[in-house]
Amino acid sequence: MSRHFLALMIVLLLAPLAKAAKPNVVLIMADDQTWEDSGAYGSPNAITPNIDKLAAQGMRFTHCFTATAMCAPTRQQLYTGLFPVRNGAYPNHSKVHPGTKSLVHHFRKLGYRVGLSGKKHFGPADSFPFEGVNGRQMAQFINRDKTQPYFLVITSNSPHLPWSAGDASKFDANKLKLAPYIVDTPRTREVLTKYYAEINDFDREVGQAMKLVDQSGQADNTIFIYTSEQGAQIPRCKWTCYDTGLRTALIIRWPKQVKPGSVSDAMVQYVDIVPTLIDAAEGNPMEFDTGRSGGDARIPGEPDMSKAKRPHSSFDGRSFLAVLTGKADRHWHMVYGVHTTRGIIAGSESYPIRSIRSHTHKLIWNIKHDQPFKNIVTHGRDKTFYWHTWLAKAETDATARRFVDGYQRRPQFELYDLRKDKYELKNLANAPAMKDIKDDLFEQLQAFMKQQGDKGHATEMKAGERQGRNRDKKNKSNKTDKSNKKNAAKLK
Ligand SMILES: [Ca+2]
C-alpha cells in the first residue's frame, strides 16, 4: 500500500467526521449599549472597527429585541429561551424558578463544554452551571480539546456605568450628534464622550475574541455572535419599553453558512437564540425540556412554522435558522416587552410596563400610570451625572420640559407608528383613526400575558420573591431617601 493511498484513505475516513462536527459558539455581549450605538448600526459617533468588521463578515439583524431593558432579566431570558415572567427572573437582580434549565444543560446534552467569562447576573447556580472561565483562560478553554465542540459566553461590563474605561479624548463633545430623545446640554455631551469611549473599549474586547477564534484554526466552524444587550443608562433607553431600551444589536458570523455582509429585518427575540443554536447544532429544539411548564398556549405573532408544533415545545422562543441561512426573511409578527420597576435602585413602588410591537406599530401599556416613574436617573442626587442639567434646561426650554415630564409621568397607553416615528415621540393612542390598531394590539398583548401567567401589577408586587433574600425589605425602603442615597453611592 503506497503512502499516498494510505493518506487518501485517512482523509476519506475522516471527511464524514469533519462534516458532522458541530459548530462551536462564541457569544460576546455588551452591557447597556443602546442598539444603534456602533458604526455597523449607523452611529455617527461610535468608533467600533471590530464590530463593523464582524458585520461585513456575517449577518446583521436590524430588528432583534430583548423583552426587558435590564441586565438580569435580559441575560436569563437569553440563556433559558423563556420570557421573564415564565422563567421567574422578571425584576432586576432576580433568579429563575428552581428547576429551570438553561443553555448549559441543553448544550452539554449535545456534547459541548459550556463556559462563561465575565458578568453573571443570574441564579440559582443549579440553573446556570457554566464552567467559569476568567479572561486569561479563554484561549485555553477554546483550544482545550479540538474534538469536542464548545460554547463560550463572554459578558463584558462595558459600557455599563461608571463610564470609566477607554479614552474619552478620542471624542469631541461639541461634535457629537445627539439622538432626538436626548436633551442637549454641555454636561450631557461631556458624559457621552465617556460612554462612547467605553463602547470603543468594548469593541477592543470584541476584536480580542475574534482573534482567539482565528488563532484556534476553527473559525470556519465557529458561530460568532455579538449582541449589545439593552439600552444605555439614559432616559428612554434602559428601564423602558421604547425601542431604544428593548431593541438590541445582533450580528452573527458563521462562515460558509451565513452570507457575509447580509442584513435581515426579520423580527427576532433573545428567547429565540438558544433554540436557533440548538437547531444549528443539529438538535431539535422541540425535544428539549426547559424545566418550566405552561408553554402550551400559542403566543400571538408566533412564526407560522410553529403552529403545529407548539404543544411539543417547552421554549417560548423559536429557531430562526432559516433566516440566518437566507431561506426565510420573516420570523415573529409581534414582539414583546415586560418591565418591572419594583426592586430597581430608587425605583417606584410599582410601575409595571408591558408592550407589543409589530413591524409597523408599538403599543405600550403603563399599568400603574397614575404613579410617577422613578429610577436612579430621576433620583438625581448624583451631581456628576447630567439629569440636573436637564431639569435646569426644562425651566426655560419647552422641549426639555416635555422630555423631563414625559419620562416621569406617562399616559396609560402609548401608540407609535414606527414607520414615521422611529424614536416613539408622537403618541397616537388617542387618535380615533388608530382605534382598531390599538384594540387589536391590546388584545394580543393580553393573550401574551395570559400565556406567561403575567398578572401585571399583582405580578410586580411579588418582585421581591424573585430577587435575593433581602430584596423585599429593600423594596419597602426604596421610598426613603437614606436608602436611595446609599444605593446611588453603591452604583458609582
Ligand atoms: Ca445591562
Side-chain angles (χ1 to χ4, degrees):
M1 203 182 283
S2 80
R3 196 175 288 175
H4 287 301
F5 182 74
L6 196 66
L8 182 68
M9 284 299 289
I10 289 169
V11 168
L12 287 174
L13 280 169
L14 290 177
L17 282 177
K19 201 185 168 201
K22 290 180 165 66
N24 306 306
V25 182
V26 173
L27 188 157
I28 183 163
M29 178 155 57
D31 191 359
D32 291 17
Q33 179 191 13
T34 303
W35 74 281
E36 58 181 1
D37 287 342
S38 67
Y41 280 86
S43 168
N45 305 319
I47 304 173
T48 53
N50 293 300
I51 293 170
D52 304 353
K53 183 176 158 191
L54 191 70
Q57 295 173 340
M59 180 176 276
R60 182 170 67 87
F61 288 82
T62 60
H63 288 71
C64 181
F65 300 87
T66 166
T68 316
M70 291 191 292
C71 304
T74 290
R75 283 148 207 268
Q76 293 178 95
Q77 69 190 265
L78 171 69
Y79 299 153
T80 63
L82 299 168
F83 284 116
V85 174
R86 200 170 146 227
N87 74 27
Y90 57 90
N92 210 4
H93 309 286
S94 53
K95 57 195 177 186
V96 295
H97 290 290
T100 306
K101 292 177 182 172
S102 71
L103 68 94
V104 189
H105 303 92
H106 306 321
F107 278 83
R108 280 196 182 148
K109 198 172 146 187
L110 288 163
Y112 284 63
R113 61 180 180 275
V114 187
L116 179 125
S117 178
K119 180 167 172 167
K120 293 192 175 92
H121 271 232
F122 52 61
D126 286 353
S127 289
F128 305 95
F130 285 100
E131 177 185 336
V133 180
N134 75 38
R136 285 184 302 278
Q137 297 168 330
M138 272 195 259
Q140 192 205 3
F141 179 83
I142 286 173
N143 297 306
R144 188 196 299 161
D145 177 358
K146 296 272 162 89
T147 66
Q148 184 192 28
Y150 69 86
F151 193 136
L152 177 61
V153 179
I154 305 168
T155 47
S156 175
N157 287 308
S158 296
H160 193 289
L161 252 68
W163 292 328
S164 54
D167 179 5
S169 74
K170 286 183 185 176
F171 303 89
D172 183 342
N174 294 319
K175 287 185 180 157
L176 292 181
K177 289 200 170 77
L178 304 191
Y181 57 86
I182 294 176
V183 174
D184 194 348
T185 67
R187 178 73 192 142
T188 307
R189 285 178 170 274
E190 187 193 328
V191 294
L192 284 177
T193 63
K194 296 176 185 171
Y195 168 63
Y196 286 112
E198 278 230 356
I199 291 174
N200 181 236
D201 193 60
F202 169 69
D203 184 77
R204 177 189 56 77
E205 293 180 54
V206 174
Q208 273 179 350
M210 288 167 78
K211 198 172 168 188
L212 287 179
V213 170
D214 286 346
Q215 287 170 345
S216 74
Q218 293 188 307
D220 275 357
N221 195 36
T222 301
I223 300 175
F224 192 103
I225 304 172
Y226 147 70
T227 185
S228 64
E229 209 219 13
Q230 23 75 189
Q233 189 164 313
I234 294 170
R236 296 182 68 92
C237 299
K238 191 176 185 176
W239 302 298
T240 75
C241 287
Y242 300 114
D243 269 18
T244 32
L246 299 180
R247 205 162 168 179
T248 178
L250 177 71
I251 300 174
I252 303 180
R253 180 183 76 179
W254 188 10
K256 294 175 187 166
Q257 305 285 340
V258 174
K259 194 178 166 194
S262 54
V263 178
S264 173
D265 66 355
M267 292 205 295
V268 300
Q269 306 187 73
Y270 263 20
V271 290
D272 297 331
I273 290 176
V274 165
T276 302
L277 293 171
I278 289 173
D279 204 2
E282 290 171 20
N284 180 355
M286 300 294 168
E287 291 166 359
F288 282 69
D289 175 18
T290 63
R292 293 294 299 149
S293 59
D296 289 351
R298 273 179 56 72
I299 299 174
E302 276 185 8
D304 293 337
M305 55 171 277
S306 64
K307 264 181 199 164
K309 293 177 178 172
R310 163 57 75 183
H312 305 294
S313 177
S314 188
F315 289 111
D316 286 331
R318 290 288 176 270
S319 169
F320 58 83
L321 189 62
V323 175
L324 198 55
T325 53
K327 296 183 186 77
D329 58 6
R330 281 287 174 267
H331 196 54
W332 288 85
H333 304 288
M334 298 287 166
V335 296
Y336 296 92
V338 182
H339 181 76
T340 302
T341 303
R342 186 173 177 79
I344 66 173
I345 296 168
S348 322
E349 189 182 351
S350 168
Y351 201 96
I353 311 171
R354 303 291 182 266
S355 69
I356 178 169
R357 185 201 198 278
S358 68
H359 286 278
T360 56
H361 293 86
K362 160 95 65 79
L363 179 74
I364 297 174
W365 181 20
N366 299 305
I367 297 175
K368 292 285 282 179
H369 64 104
D370 52 329
Q371 305 292 314
F373 174 80
K374 292 192 240 171
N375 65 10
I376 188 77
V377 174
T378 63
H379 185 266
R381 300 246 171 141
D382 178 2
K383 300 292 187 203
T384 63
F385 215 50
Y386 57 83
W387 178 251
H388 64 286
T389 69
W390 291 30
L391 293 176
K393 189 164 180 172
E395 295 294 325
T396 54
D397 182 295
T399 308
R401 169 57 56 199
R402 199 154 49 86
F403 277 107
V404 164
D405 290 348
Y407 188 55
Q408 299 171 95
R409 292 276 179 188
R410 304 180 199 172
Q412 185 178 14
F413 291 105
E414 298 171 63
L415 179 68
Y416 299 104
D417 183 341
L418 302 161
R419 293 165 299 184
K420 300 173 195 161
D421 184 17
K422 176 183 168 185
Y423 291 109
E424 298 155 281
L425 299 174
K426 193 178 176 202
N427 183 10
L428 304 173
N430 296 320
M434 304 302 285
K435 189 180 182 306
D436 288 352
I437 289 173
K438 181 185 161 190
D439 291 351
D440 178 53
L441 288 173
F442 190 44
E443 191 182 315
Q444 298 193 63
L445 176 59
Q446 288 172 296
F448 166 71
M449 288 171 66
K450 194 175 169 203
Q451 186 269 358
Q452 290 288 303
D454 179 359
K455 296 183 169 59
H457 169 63
T459 296
E460 174 129 345
M461 290 309 285
K462 290 183 176 169
E465 293 173 18
R466 307 292 339 126
Q467 297 181 296
R469 196 172 291 168
N470 297 318
R471 281 278 166 181
D472 212 29
K473 223 174 171 183
K474 280 187 189 166
N475 288 342
K476 279 175 197 151
S477 65
N478 265 353
K479 281 180 280 183
T480 71
D481 278 337
K482 198 180 163 193
S483 157
N484 284 344
K485 220 174 196 171
K486 210 169 92 193
N487 285 331
K490 209 187 290 169
L491 190 88
K492 289 301 294 176

